[in-house]
């Protein structure tokens, strides 16, 4: 069974959102940033998978193109959040 690229993108983006939620929750209770490592790894893996799947879905086009673009924009928003967080940590 072949999975459509848009389905992969939706699934991977859901994993991105789940990882972000877990990181935010863990930040409230951790004493050491190192303990966030596995969660950050999950986040970046899911983000990479979502990005690849969006590219594939956009190439395929058709009725899922709009949804692929929405996911792509949400990933870009997530990247801006990463940059903002990095800026806050460096000050």
């Amino acid at each position: 069974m072949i999975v459509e690229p848009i389905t992969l993108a939706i699934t991977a983006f859901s994993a991105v959102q789940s990882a972000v939620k877990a990181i935010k929750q863990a930040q409230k209770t951790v004493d050491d940033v190192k303990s966030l490592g596995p969660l950050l790894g999950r986040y970046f893996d899911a983000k990479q998978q979502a990005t690849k799947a969006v590219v594939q879905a956009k190439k395929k086009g058709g009725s899922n193109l709009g949804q692929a673009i929405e996911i792509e924009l949400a990933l870009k928003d997530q990247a801006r959040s990463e940059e903002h967080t990095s800026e806050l940590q460096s000050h």
Side-chain angles (χ1 to χ4, degrees), residues 1 17 64 68 84:
M1 180 172 126
Q17 291 175 315
N64 294 321
H84 179 70

Side-chain angles (χ1 to χ4, degrees), residues 46-91:
K47 184 178 167 191
Q48 180 185 19
Q49 290 173 1
T51 301
K52 281 183 180 179
V54 164
V55 169
Q56 291 173 349
K58 285 175 61 179
K59 283 182 184 176
K60 186 170 183 177
S63 61
N64 294 321
L65 182 59
Q67 199 170 15
I69 291 171
E70 286 180 34
I71 294 170
E72 181 179 43
L73 292 173
L75 287 168
K76 287 182 181 184
D77 187 47
Q78 194 65 44
R80 284 190 291 275
S81 294
E82 287 173 32
E83 289 173 16
H84 179 70
T85 301
S86 293
E87 288 173 7
L88 290 175
Q89 290 176 350
S90 66
H91 292 293

